[in-house]
Each structure stands twice: as C-alpha cells, then as structure tokens.
Amino acid sequence: MITIRIQRKDFDIGAEVAALDAEDTGAVATFTGKVRKEGDLVALTLEHYPQMTEREIGRIVEDAKARWPLMGVTIIHRVGRLLPGDKIVLVAVAAKHRGAAFDACEFLMDYLKTRAPFWKEEERDGGTRWVEARHSDDKAAERWRDK
Amino acid sequence: MITIRIQRKDFDIGAEVAALDAEDTGAVATFTGKVRKEGDLVALTLEHYPQMTEREIGRIVEDAKARWPLMGVTIIHRVGRLLPGDKIVLVAVAAKHRGAAFDACEFLMDYLKTRAPFWKEEERDGGTRWVEARHSDDKAAERWRDK
Amino acid sequence: MTLLYFAWVRQKTGRGEEQLFLPADVKTVSDLIAFLAKRGGGFADAFADPRRIRVAINQEHTGFDTPLRDGDEVAFFPPVTGG
Amino acid sequence: MTLLYFAWVRQKTGRGEEQLFLPADVKTVSDLIAFLAKRGGGFADAFADPRRIRVAINQEHTGFDTPLRDGDEVAFFPPVTGG
C-alpha cells in the first residue's frame, strides 16, 4: 500500500504505522524530520509545486519498490509555516525483513531531499532567507546510483 | 535521554517518539519489529535473562553513543506470548541529522539481534520449536566492527 | 506555454505563473532562460546565474538542453530543500 | 556459584537455576561445561555440542576460556534470537 500526502496539519507516527501494517510485515522503519530549534530561528515556511509534488514522490516510491521488496510505504510532507519542534516529514516503510525497510527508508529520504519540489524559507529575528540546498544531500542521494 | 524497557504490554510508537524528542532534534529514525504472519504460526513466546537484559542493552546503547552524536535513544522489547501482527521491539533514535539517526538505529537493531539475551519459541500447529539464530544477523552485526 | 516560478525565483520575478507564446527562436530551456533574462529587472536578477536554477517540464525534472513545445508547463526554481 | 539456564538449555537440563560449589578441578567455562555434561541425562544432552552454547558470566557475554570464581553467576543459553 502506497500513501502519499501533502498537508498543512501534523501527523501521528503511531497511527500512520498502524495504517501501513500488513500481517506479513516483519519490519517497519520510519524517519521523521523536524524543525530544529537553533539560534534565533522563528519559523520555517515550506512552499511546494502542487501539480508536481505527488507525482515526483510517486516516481521516487516506484524507484524504491523496484530496488527492494516492500509491503507498504507512507510519505507525509507538511507545507506552510512550521515552528521549531514541529514535524516536517514522515517516511515509513514496511517490509518482511529489516534490511530492506532500513535501506528503502534512507533511500526515500535522500531522494525526497534532492528531488521532491519543496523549498524552505527561514524566518529569523533579522528577516527571511531561503534555505540553500546542501551538497551533503546530493552526496547522500548519489550513493544509490549504482546500487 | 536513554530509555530502556522490557515489558509484556504493547507500545505506541508515536507516544514514544514524542517522549524522546528534544527541541534541537532534527531527525528521528525508528525501527519496529513485528511477529510475521506466516503459515501455521500460532504465537511466539519471548524468554529473556532479566538480570542481564537491561544491562546488555545499556552497553549496546553506550557503544552507539560513542559512535554517533545522539540526542536520545528509546529501546522497548516485549517478552511473553505474542501473536502474529504483534509488535516485538521498538528502537527509536533522535539526532541532529538523519545520517546518524539512521545508522545508529540500524546498528542498535543489529546488536540487539546478536547480543541482547532474548530467545523466541515458536508455537505452530505441530508443536513448539526454539527459533535458530540466523547467520545473516551475525553478518549484519559484523559490518560495524571496523567502523 | 505555462511558466511557473517558485521560491526565490518567484520572489525575484515578482510572479508565480504566466502564459507565454513560445517565441520562434526559443528552442530549448537554455534559450528560454536567455529570453527571460533579457526582460531585465527582476527577471534579469532571477536568471543572472543559470547554474543556480533548476527546471521541470510537465512536472518532471529535466536539463537545460531539453527542447520546448508550445503547451508545455515549464517551472523554474532553486535546488529543492524539502524533507 | 549460581548457574542459570535459558531457552532449550533450560528445557533440556530441566532447571532454570541452581547453586553449585565450584569443584576444585573446574577452572574455566570449558571445564564447567565438561563437568555438567558428565551428569548425564538432560545435562549430557544440553551440553553435547558446546558450539551450540553461549555463556555469560556476571551478566556479560564471555568465552569458554574465561576463568571462574566462586560467587560468579554463570548463564548458559543458545545464541540469542530477540529483536
């Protein structure tokens, strides 16, 4: 089962994992990304490209399914204005065995970071600023190329 | 914050992640292991070595903390009789960045599988049988030796 | 064709979306970027360094050499920073 | 010393725990395994193939060469299968 949701509201990790579960699932790996409290950061505002976002995430999930035997994937990404401590993204992967669940979860995060059309704008005491893409995220995504 | 619990009752992944969270956490990776529904499997009964279990898991967590900068770790392992679909184990790791959270979560699972004193007995239509340790779990744990 | 702009590309150009008749000499994404930069003002600023820009055609990431067709939805944006 | 048995080692020996005065010629875990196997019956069965057995002394995994002291808590069990 594949679930992809873009939403403003928060999500409940436990409820999402319960909804994802099939009876023959032995392993569920999840990743939750949050707004870190750091310095004078007031908020993060997430913009996206609505016509493209779910399609691109769908392609990333298909890529993961071609690489590992997965029983279910749930991806939830929030948009709008988020405060320090707020959850931003959930990736949950169910598989028979833990190796596939871990690898696919990490792959999905690396690809979300470098391919899904979201942009973060930081709001600090001094004003707003668009977050720069990080080279380390490109490197993380490149690891999967030849695998 | 380190939380280690051995318990008979179920757990709520979302509540555990919320309890684990610090404000400067940016990444939470979790792993949930479940009793797979397969063939005529009726139940799994988990036995452990109570005087040793929490101490050994504590040592595994200290090892992980020495390898990665972690903000929090929660490990819950159930014991007693569990049915197909029941959750067995939760490992949740909070860190600033996702690489450390993913790696530490996988490391903790690999070490739990090969070092924590738990034993599973399967109950099938034909009777009961102790689960054999898997060579693939030893291999998974060995990966971390030289890292 | 439909042009879409996101994040600081949207802010610099001052618009999120526009309709454009594909000019005859604009064959590829690169040509379109040069055409838009020539508008001056915020567009010149937004497209001053094409290496900082990414493009999607019809909701798929693509490169600057891709040929354009009228009716395409072309989106310009900075490298993505979600997740 | 205290001896503990888990999983099929417990089932084969028929007990989970016992107190034992360390015999003079039992210096290491290997010696203790040989000593227990000589009891015959379920113990002989449980310890027939020491390669299938793991040991912890005072709640820490250890090897068969480890010297024993009176007062130790020695646990025998199969390779672990939790998680």
Side-chain angles (χ1 to χ4, degrees), chain A residues 32-65:
Chain A
T32 306
K34 298 179 58 199
V35 183
R36 253 192 313 278
K37 185 186 174 76
E38 52 174 44
D40 61 348
L41 182 72
V42 176
L44 272 187
T45 298
L46 274 129
E47 174 174 333
H48 76 129
Y49 176 1
Q51 302 92 321
M52 177 171 172
T53 313
E54 290 190 27
R55 290 186 61 184
E56 183 64 24
I57 296 176
R59 287 188 284 259
I60 295 168
V61 172
E62 288 307 312
D63 193 345
K65 285 177 63 185

PDB file of all heavy atoms in Angstrom, chain A residues 32-65:
ATOM      1  N   THR A  32      11.401  10.564  10.755  1.00  0.00           N
ATOM      2  CA  THR A  32      10.658  11.798  10.969  1.00  0.00           C
ATOM      3  C   THR A  32      11.647  12.953  10.978  1.00  0.00           C
ATOM      4  O   THR A  32      12.625  12.925  11.729  1.00  0.00           O
ATOM      5  CB  THR A  32       9.921  11.768  12.324  1.00  0.00           C
ATOM      6  OG1 THR A  32       9.123  10.583  12.389  1.00  0.00           O
ATOM      7  CG2 THR A  32       9.031  12.984  12.486  1.00  0.00           C
ATOM      8  N   GLY A  33      11.425  13.918  10.118  1.00  0.00           N
ATOM      9  CA  GLY A  33      12.256  15.120  10.091  1.00  0.00           C
ATOM     10  C   GLY A  33      11.525  16.243  10.795  1.00  0.00           C
ATOM     11  O   GLY A  33      10.312  16.388  10.640  1.00  0.00           O
ATOM     12  N   LYS A  34      12.260  17.009  11.594  1.00  0.00           N
ATOM     13  CA  LYS A  34      11.648  18.071  12.390  1.00  0.00           C
ATOM     14  C   LYS A  34      12.350  19.414  12.188  1.00  0.00           C
ATOM     15  O   LYS A  34      13.510  19.458  11.777  1.00  0.00           O
ATOM     16  CB  LYS A  34      11.754  17.699  13.872  1.00  0.00           C
ATOM     17  CG  LYS A  34      11.021  16.428  14.247  1.00  0.00           C
ATOM     18  CD  LYS A  34      11.221  16.151  15.732  1.00  0.00           C
ATOM     19  CE  LYS A  34      10.716  17.312  16.542  1.00  0.00           C
ATOM     20  NZ  LYS A  34      11.253  17.321  17.896  1.00  0.00           N
ATOM     21  N   VAL A  35      11.647  20.474  12.526  1.00  0.00           N
ATOM     22  CA  VAL A  35      12.277  21.796  12.536  1.00  0.00           C
ATOM     23  C   VAL A  35      13.128  21.878  13.799  1.00  0.00           C
ATOM     24  O   VAL A  35      12.609  21.780  14.904  1.00  0.00           O
ATOM     25  CB  VAL A  35      11.223  22.929  12.560  1.00  0.00           C
ATOM     26  CG1 VAL A  35      11.926  24.292  12.500  1.00  0.00           C
ATOM     27  CG2 VAL A  35      10.225  22.779  11.428  1.00  0.00           C
ATOM     28  N   ARG A  36      14.444  22.016  13.605  1.00  0.00           N
ATOM     29  CA  ARG A  36      15.357  22.110  14.748  1.00  0.00           C
ATOM     30  C   ARG A  36      15.266  23.494  15.378  1.00  0.00           C
ATOM     31  O   ARG A  36      15.224  24.495  14.675  1.00  0.00           O
ATOM     32  CB  ARG A  36      16.802  21.910  14.286  1.00  0.00           C
ATOM     33  CG  ARG A  36      17.415  20.598  14.656  1.00  0.00           C
ATOM     34  CD  ARG A  36      18.907  20.612  14.432  1.00  0.00           C
ATOM     35  NE  ARG A  36      19.290  21.159  13.140  1.00  0.00           N
ATOM     36  CZ  ARG A  36      19.291  20.471  12.008  1.00  0.00           C
ATOM     37  NH1 ARG A  36      18.934  19.195  12.021  1.00  0.00           N
ATOM     38  NH2 ARG A  36      19.644  21.039  10.885  1.00  0.00           N
ATOM     39  N   LYS A  37      15.274  23.521  16.698  1.00  0.00           N
ATOM     40  CA  LYS A  37      15.389  24.810  17.383  1.00  0.00           C
ATOM     41  C   LYS A  37      16.861  25.198  17.321  1.00  0.00           C
ATOM     42  O   LYS A  37      17.721  24.469  17.795  1.00  0.00           O
ATOM     43  CB  LYS A  37      14.949  24.642  18.842  1.00  0.00           C
ATOM     44  CG  LYS A  37      14.915  25.929  19.647  1.00  0.00           C
ATOM     45  CD  LYS A  37      14.601  25.627  21.111  1.00  0.00           C
ATOM     46  CE  LYS A  37      14.695  26.869  21.970  1.00  0.00           C
ATOM     47  NZ  LYS A  37      13.512  27.752  21.796  1.00  0.00           N
ATOM     48  N   GLU A  38      17.152  26.318  16.695  1.00  0.00           N
ATOM     49  CA  GLU A  38      18.556  26.738  16.625  1.00  0.00           C
ATOM     50  C   GLU A  38      18.632  28.256  16.557  1.00  0.00           C
ATOM     51  O   GLU A  38      18.013  28.902  15.714  1.00  0.00           O
ATOM     52  CB  GLU A  38      19.277  26.106  15.439  1.00  0.00           C
ATOM     53  CG  GLU A  38      18.608  26.272  14.116  1.00  0.00           C
ATOM     54  CD  GLU A  38      19.460  25.737  12.962  1.00  0.00           C
ATOM     55  OE1 GLU A  38      20.032  24.625  13.107  1.00  0.00           O
ATOM     56  OE2 GLU A  38      19.565  26.418  11.951  1.00  0.00           O
ATOM     57  N   GLY A  39      19.403  28.821  17.474  1.00  0.00           N
ATOM     58  CA  GLY A  39      19.641  30.266  17.498  1.00  0.00           C
ATOM     59  C   GLY A  39      18.342  31.051  17.493  1.00  0.00           C
ATOM     60  O   GLY A  39      17.439  30.785  18.283  1.00  0.00           O
ATOM     61  N   ASP A  40      18.244  31.981  16.544  1.00  0.00           N
ATOM     62  CA  ASP A  40      17.088  32.882  16.519  1.00  0.00           C
ATOM     63  C   ASP A  40      16.033  32.447  15.506  1.00  0.00           C
ATOM     64  O   ASP A  40      15.220  33.260  15.084  1.00  0.00           O
ATOM     65  CB  ASP A  40      17.563  34.310  16.210  1.00  0.00           C
ATOM     66  CG  ASP A  40      18.259  34.396  14.847  1.00  0.00           C
ATOM     67  OD1 ASP A  40      18.558  33.326  14.268  1.00  0.00           O
ATOM     68  OD2 ASP A  40      18.494  35.510  14.368  1.00  0.00           O
ATOM     69  N   LEU A  41      16.057  31.173  15.133  1.00  0.00           N
ATOM     70  CA  LEU A  41      15.064  30.692  14.164  1.00  0.00           C
ATOM     71  C   LEU A  41      13.654  30.795  14.746  1.00  0.00           C
ATOM     72  O   LEU A  41      13.375  30.255  15.814  1.00  0.00           O
ATOM     73  CB  LEU A  41      15.349  29.230  13.765  1.00  0.00           C
ATOM     74  CG  LEU A  41      14.397  28.658  12.714  1.00  0.00           C
ATOM     75  CD1 LEU A  41      14.673  29.262  11.340  1.00  0.00           C
ATOM     76  CD2 LEU A  41      14.508  27.139  12.640  1.00  0.00           C
ATOM     77  N   VAL A  42      12.782  31.491  14.028  1.00  0.00           N
ATOM     78  CA  VAL A  42      11.410  31.704  14.492  1.00  0.00           C
ATOM     79  C   VAL A  42      10.463  30.702  13.847  1.00  0.00           C
ATOM     80  O   VAL A  42       9.585  30.151  14.499  1.00  0.00           O
ATOM     81  CB  VAL A  42      10.950  33.150  14.165  1.00  0.00           C
ATOM     82  CG1 VAL A  42       9.488  33.352  14.552  1.00  0.00           C
ATOM     83  CG2 VAL A  42      11.845  34.164  14.858  1.00  0.00           C
ATOM     84  N   ALA A  43      10.654  30.455  12.556  1.00  0.00           N
ATOM     85  CA  ALA A  43       9.762  29.547  11.826  1.00  0.00           C
ATOM     86  C   ALA A  43      10.410  29.148  10.504  1.00  0.00           C
ATOM     87  O   ALA A  43      11.378  29.766  10.064  1.00  0.00           O
ATOM     88  CB  ALA A  43       8.420  30.229  11.553  1.00  0.00           C
ATOM     89  N   LEU A  44       9.867  28.097   9.923  1.00  0.00           N
ATOM     90  CA  LEU A  44      10.214  27.679   8.561  1.00  0.00           C
ATOM     91  C   LEU A  44       8.916  27.679   7.775  1.00  0.00           C
ATOM     92  O   LEU A  44       7.917  27.140   8.244  1.00  0.00           O
ATOM     93  CB  LEU A  44      10.734  26.244   8.540  1.00  0.00           C
ATOM     94  CG  LEU A  44      12.192  25.918   8.744  1.00  0.00           C
ATOM     95  CD1 LEU A  44      12.400  24.428   8.505  1.00  0.00           C
ATOM     96  CD2 LEU A  44      13.093  26.739   7.838  1.00  0.00           C
ATOM     97  N   THR A  45       8.934  28.262   6.568  1.00  0.00           N
ATOM     98  CA  THR A  45       7.748  28.159   5.726  1.00  0.00           C
ATOM     99  C   THR A  45       8.086  27.286   4.521  1.00  0.00           C
ATOM    100  O   THR A  45       9.087  27.513   3.843  1.00  0.00           O
ATOM    101  CB  THR A  45       7.268  29.549   5.279  1.00  0.00           C
ATOM    102  OG1 THR A  45       6.918  30.285   6.451  1.00  0.00           O
ATOM    103  CG2 THR A  45       6.041  29.435   4.383  1.00  0.00           C
ATOM    104  N   LEU A  46       7.275  26.269   4.304  1.00  0.00           N
ATOM    105  CA  LEU A  46       7.511  25.328   3.213  1.00  0.00           C
ATOM    106  C   LEU A  46       6.572  25.596   2.058  1.00  0.00           C
ATOM    107  O   LEU A  46       5.353  25.552   2.201  1.00  0.00           O
ATOM    108  CB  LEU A  46       7.345  23.893   3.706  1.00  0.00           C
ATOM    109  CG  LEU A  46       8.644  23.374   4.307  1.00  0.00           C
ATOM    110  CD1 LEU A  46       8.430  22.789   5.667  1.00  0.00           C
ATOM    111  CD2 LEU A  46       9.258  22.364   3.354  1.00  0.00           C
ATOM    112  N   GLU A  47       7.176  25.880   0.907  1.00  0.00           N
ATOM    113  CA  GLU A  47       6.440  26.088  -0.338  1.00  0.00           C
ATOM    114  C   GLU A  47       6.639  24.836  -1.200  1.00  0.00           C
ATOM    115  O   GLU A  47       7.662  24.161  -1.068  1.00  0.00           O
ATOM    116  CB  GLU A  47       7.064  27.311  -1.044  1.00  0.00           C
ATOM    117  CG  GLU A  47       6.520  27.606  -2.431  1.00  0.00           C
ATOM    118  CD  GLU A  47       7.094  28.928  -2.999  1.00  0.00           C
ATOM    119  OE1 GLU A  47       7.463  29.825  -2.217  1.00  0.00           O
ATOM    120  OE2 GLU A  47       7.171  29.035  -4.238  1.00  0.00           O
ATOM    121  N   HIS A  48       5.678  24.518  -2.045  1.00  0.00           N
ATOM    122  CA  HIS A  48       5.912  23.403  -2.966  1.00  0.00           C
ATOM    123  C   HIS A  48       5.246  23.663  -4.312  1.00  0.00           C
ATOM    124  O   HIS A  48       4.631  24.722  -4.505  1.00  0.00           O
ATOM    125  CB  HIS A  48       5.480  22.066  -2.356  1.00  0.00           C
ATOM    126  CG  HIS A  48       4.005  21.833  -2.322  1.00  0.00           C
ATOM    127  ND1 HIS A  48       3.428  20.688  -2.798  1.00  0.00           N
ATOM    128  CD2 HIS A  48       2.984  22.602  -1.854  1.00  0.00           C
ATOM    129  CE1 HIS A  48       2.109  20.751  -2.612  1.00  0.00           C
ATOM    130  NE2 HIS A  48       1.819  21.895  -2.048  1.00  0.00           N
ATOM    131  N   TYR A  49       5.404  22.738  -5.213  1.00  0.00           N
ATOM    132  CA  TYR A  49       4.899  22.846  -6.600  1.00  0.00           C
ATOM    133  C   TYR A  49       3.779  21.815  -6.682  1.00  0.00           C
ATOM    134  O   TYR A  49       4.013  20.656  -7.013  1.00  0.00           O
ATOM    135  CB  TYR A  49       6.070  22.512  -7.524  1.00  0.00           C
ATOM    136  CG  TYR A  49       5.816  22.449  -9.017  1.00  0.00           C
ATOM    137  CD1 TYR A  49       4.575  22.690  -9.613  1.00  0.00           C
ATOM    138  CD2 TYR A  49       6.883  22.141  -9.863  1.00  0.00           C
ATOM    139  CE1 TYR A  49       4.412  22.626 -10.981  1.00  0.00           C
ATOM    140  CE2 TYR A  49       6.729  22.075 -11.237  1.00  0.00           C
ATOM    141  CZ  TYR A  49       5.491  22.316 -11.797  1.00  0.00           C
ATOM    142  OH  TYR A  49       5.330  22.242 -13.164  1.00  0.00           O
ATOM    143  N   PRO A  50       2.557  22.247  -6.325  1.00  0.00           N
ATOM    144  CA  PRO A  50       1.485  21.274  -6.069  1.00  0.00           C
ATOM    145  C   PRO A  50       1.234  20.291  -7.209  1.00  0.00           C
ATOM    146  O   PRO A  50       1.034  19.100  -6.958  1.00  0.00           O
ATOM    147  CB  PRO A  50       0.259  22.158  -5.833  1.00  0.00           C
ATOM    148  CG  PRO A  50       0.817  23.477  -5.400  1.00  0.00           C
ATOM    149  CD  PRO A  50       2.121  23.639  -6.151  1.00  0.00           C
ATOM    150  N   GLN A  51       1.288  20.782  -8.459  1.00  0.00           N
ATOM    151  CA  GLN A  51       0.981  19.863  -9.570  1.00  0.00           C
ATOM    152  C   GLN A  51       2.031  18.763  -9.703  1.00  0.00           C
ATOM    153  O   GLN A  51       1.778  17.697 -10.249  1.00  0.00           O
ATOM    154  CB  GLN A  51       0.919  20.632 -10.898  1.00  0.00           C
ATOM    155  CG  GLN A  51      -0.089  21.773 -10.945  1.00  0.00           C
ATOM    156  CD  GLN A  51       0.517  23.111 -10.548  1.00  0.00           C
ATOM    157  OE1 GLN A  51       1.337  23.186  -9.631  1.00  0.00           O
ATOM    158  NE2 GLN A  51       0.102  24.178 -11.205  1.00  0.00           N
ATOM    159  N   MET A  52       3.244  19.040  -9.215  1.00  0.00           N
ATOM    160  CA  MET A  52       4.349  18.097  -9.414  1.00  0.00           C
ATOM    161  C   MET A  52       4.648  17.222  -8.194  1.00  0.00           C
ATOM    162  O   MET A  52       5.113  16.088  -8.336  1.00  0.00           O
ATOM    163  CB  MET A  52       5.617  18.876  -9.780  1.00  0.00           C
ATOM    164  CG  MET A  52       6.866  18.014  -9.947  1.00  0.00           C
ATOM    165  SD  MET A  52       8.253  18.984 -10.628  1.00  0.00           S
ATOM    166  CE  MET A  52       9.615  17.807 -10.471  1.00  0.00           C
ATOM    167  N   THR A  53       4.381  17.731  -6.999  1.00  0.00           N
ATOM    168  CA  THR A  53       4.917  17.103  -5.784  1.00  0.00           C
ATOM    169  C   THR A  53       4.535  15.637  -5.649  1.00  0.00           C
ATOM    170  O   THR A  53       5.394  14.765  -5.502  1.00  0.00           O
ATOM    171  CB  THR A  53       4.454  17.882  -4.545  1.00  0.00           C
ATOM    172  OG1 THR A  53       4.648  19.271  -4.776  1.00  0.00           O
ATOM    173  CG2 THR A  53       5.251  17.457  -3.323  1.00  0.00           C
ATOM    174  N   GLU A  54       3.231  15.345  -5.708  1.00  0.00           N
ATOM    175  CA  GLU A  54       2.809  13.954  -5.504  1.00  0.00           C
ATOM    176  C   GLU A  54       3.292  13.044  -6.629  1.00  0.00           C
ATOM    177  O   GLU A  54       3.640  11.889  -6.400  1.00  0.00           O
ATOM    178  CB  GLU A  54       1.289  13.859  -5.337  1.00  0.00           C
ATOM    179  CG  GLU A  54       0.864  14.474  -4.011  1.00  0.00           C
ATOM    180  CD  GLU A  54      -0.592  14.195  -3.667  1.00  0.00           C
ATOM    181  OE1 GLU A  54      -1.129  13.169  -4.122  1.00  0.00           O
ATOM    182  OE2 GLU A  54      -1.185  15.011  -2.936  1.00  0.00           O
ATOM    183  N   ARG A  55       3.334  13.607  -7.842  1.00  0.00           N
ATOM    184  CA  ARG A  55       3.828  12.801  -8.972  1.00  0.00           C
ATOM    185  C   ARG A  55       5.293  12.443  -8.782  1.00  0.00           C
ATOM    186  O   ARG A  55       5.701  11.303  -9.022  1.00  0.00           O
ATOM    187  CB  ARG A  55       3.663  13.566 -10.294  1.00  0.00           C
ATOM    188  CG  ARG A  55       2.215  13.722 -10.725  1.00  0.00           C
ATOM    189  CD  ARG A  55       2.128  14.363 -12.102  1.00  0.00           C
ATOM    190  NE  ARG A  55       2.798  13.547 -13.114  1.00  0.00           N
ATOM    191  CZ  ARG A  55       2.937  13.905 -14.382  1.00  0.00           C
ATOM    192  NH1 ARG A  55       2.467  15.073 -14.794  1.00  0.00           N
ATOM    193  NH2 ARG A  55       3.549  13.112 -15.234  1.00  0.00           N
ATOM    194  N   GLU A  56       6.100  13.443  -8.385  1.00  0.00           N
ATOM    195  CA  GLU A  56       7.531  13.194  -8.213  1.00  0.00           C
ATOM    196  C   GLU A  56       7.762  12.211  -7.058  1.00  0.00           C
ATOM    197  O   GLU A  56       8.572  11.289  -7.173  1.00  0.00           O
ATOM    198  CB  GLU A  56       8.277  14.510  -7.951  1.00  0.00           C
ATOM    199  CG  GLU A  56       9.781  14.365  -7.820  1.00  0.00           C
ATOM    200  CD  GLU A  56      10.466  13.862  -9.106  1.00  0.00           C
ATOM    201  OE1 GLU A  56       9.894  14.060 -10.204  1.00  0.00           O
ATOM    202  OE2 GLU A  56      11.551  13.268  -8.999  1.00  0.00           O
ATOM    203  N   ILE A  57       7.042  12.390  -5.972  1.00  0.00           N
ATOM    204  CA  ILE A  57       7.200  11.458  -4.847  1.00  0.00           C
ATOM    205  C   ILE A  57       6.756  10.058  -5.279  1.00  0.00           C
ATOM    206  O   ILE A  57       7.387   9.057  -4.935  1.00  0.00           O
ATOM    207  CB  ILE A  57       6.430  11.947  -3.600  1.00  0.00           C
ATOM    208  CG1 ILE A  57       7.032  13.276  -3.110  1.00  0.00           C
ATOM    209  CG2 ILE A  57       6.475  10.892  -2.492  1.00  0.00           C
ATOM    210  CD1 ILE A  57       6.293  13.907  -1.938  1.00  0.00           C
ATOM    211  N   GLY A  58       5.690   9.996  -6.085  1.00  0.00           N
ATOM    212  CA  GLY A  58       5.247   8.705  -6.615  1.00  0.00           C
ATOM    213  C   GLY A  58       6.338   8.018  -7.425  1.00  0.00           C
ATOM    214  O   GLY A  58       6.550   6.803  -7.314  1.00  0.00           O
ATOM    215  N   ARG A  59       7.062   8.795  -8.225  1.00  0.00           N
ATOM    216  CA  ARG A  59       8.159   8.218  -9.017  1.00  0.00           C
ATOM    217  C   ARG A  59       9.284   7.714  -8.105  1.00  0.00           C
ATOM    218  O   ARG A  59       9.881   6.664  -8.354  1.00  0.00           O
ATOM    219  CB  ARG A  59       8.704   9.264 -10.005  1.00  0.00           C
ATOM    220  CG  ARG A  59       7.766   9.538 -11.175  1.00  0.00           C
ATOM    221  CD  ARG A  59       8.413  10.418 -12.242  1.00  0.00           C
ATOM    222  NE  ARG A  59       8.485  11.821 -11.845  1.00  0.00           N
ATOM    223  CZ  ARG A  59       7.646  12.775 -12.272  1.00  0.00           C
ATOM    224  NH1 ARG A  59       6.658  12.477 -13.091  1.00  0.00           N
ATOM    225  NH2 ARG A  59       7.795  14.027 -11.881  1.00  0.00           N
ATOM    226  N   ILE A  60       9.561   8.473  -7.035  1.00  0.00           N
ATOM    227  CA  ILE A  60      10.614   8.067  -6.093  1.00  0.00           C
ATOM    228  C   ILE A  60      10.219   6.754  -5.406  1.00  0.00           C
ATOM    229  O   ILE A  60      11.040   5.845  -5.249  1.00  0.00           O
ATOM    230  CB  ILE A  60      10.857   9.198  -5.052  1.00  0.00           C
ATOM    231  CG1 ILE A  60      11.417  10.450  -5.750  1.00  0.00           C
ATOM    232  CG2 ILE A  60      11.783   8.719  -3.945  1.00  0.00           C
ATOM    233  CD1 ILE A  60      11.427  11.709  -4.868  1.00  0.00           C
ATOM    234  N   VAL A  61       8.939   6.638  -5.041  1.00  0.00           N
ATOM    235  CA  VAL A  61       8.461   5.414  -4.386  1.00  0.00           C
ATOM    236  C   VAL A  61       8.539   4.229  -5.356  1.00  0.00           C
ATOM    237  O   VAL A  61       8.942   3.122  -4.977  1.00  0.00           O
ATOM    238  CB  VAL A  61       7.020   5.592  -3.846  1.00  0.00           C
ATOM    239  CG1 VAL A  61       6.459   4.269  -3.343  1.00  0.00           C
ATOM    240  CG2 VAL A  61       6.990   6.643  -2.729  1.00  0.00           C
ATOM    241  N   GLU A  62       8.178   4.458  -6.622  1.00  0.00           N
ATOM    242  CA  GLU A  62       8.276   3.370  -7.604  1.00  0.00           C
ATOM    243  C   GLU A  62       9.720   2.900  -7.753  1.00  0.00           C
ATOM    244  O   GLU A  62       9.992   1.703  -7.886  1.00  0.00           O
ATOM    245  CB  GLU A  62       7.721   3.819  -8.964  1.00  0.00           C
ATOM    246  CG  GLU A  62       6.203   3.958  -8.991  1.00  0.00           C
ATOM    247  CD  GLU A  62       5.488   2.702  -8.497  1.00  0.00           C
ATOM    248  OE1 GLU A  62       5.839   1.587  -8.937  1.00  0.00           O
ATOM    249  OE2 GLU A  62       4.589   2.849  -7.637  1.00  0.00           O
ATOM    250  N   ASP A  63      10.634   3.856  -7.739  1.00  0.00           N
ATOM    251  CA  ASP A  63      12.062   3.537  -7.825  1.00  0.00           C
ATOM    252  C   ASP A  63      12.463   2.661  -6.624  1.00  0.00           C
ATOM    253  O   ASP A  63      13.126   1.620  -6.780  1.00  0.00           O
ATOM    254  CB  ASP A  63      12.856   4.853  -7.841  1.00  0.00           C
ATOM    255  CG  ASP A  63      14.312   4.680  -8.242  1.00  0.00           C
ATOM    256  OD1 ASP A  63      14.805   3.542  -8.247  1.00  0.00           O
ATOM    257  OD2 ASP A  63      14.962   5.701  -8.530  1.00  0.00           O
ATOM    258  N   ALA A  64      12.003   3.035  -5.428  1.00  0.00           N
ATOM    259  CA  ALA A  64      12.319   2.238  -4.230  1.00  0.00           C
ATOM    260  C   ALA A  64      11.727   0.832  -4.338  1.00  0.00           C
ATOM    261  O   ALA A  64      12.378  -0.166  -3.997  1.00  0.00           O
ATOM    262  CB  ALA A  64      11.794   2.943  -2.976  1.00  0.00           C
ATOM    263  N   LYS A  65      10.487   0.745  -4.837  1.00  0.00           N
ATOM    264  CA  LYS A  65       9.834  -0.567  -4.954  1.00  0.00           C
ATOM    265  C   LYS A  65      10.540  -1.470  -5.955  1.00  0.00           C
ATOM    266  O   LYS A  65      10.505  -2.696  -5.830  1.00  0.00           O
ATOM    267  CB  LYS A  65       8.360  -0.404  -5.353  1.00  0.00           C
ATOM    268  CG  LYS A  65       7.490   0.071  -4.195  1.00  0.00           C
ATOM    269  CD  LYS A  65       6.056   0.285  -4.645  1.00  0.00           C
ATOM    270  CE  LYS A  65       5.409  -1.011  -5.111  1.00  0.00           C
ATOM    271  NZ  LYS A  65       4.055  -0.754  -5.650  1.00  0.00           N
TER     272      LYS A  65
END
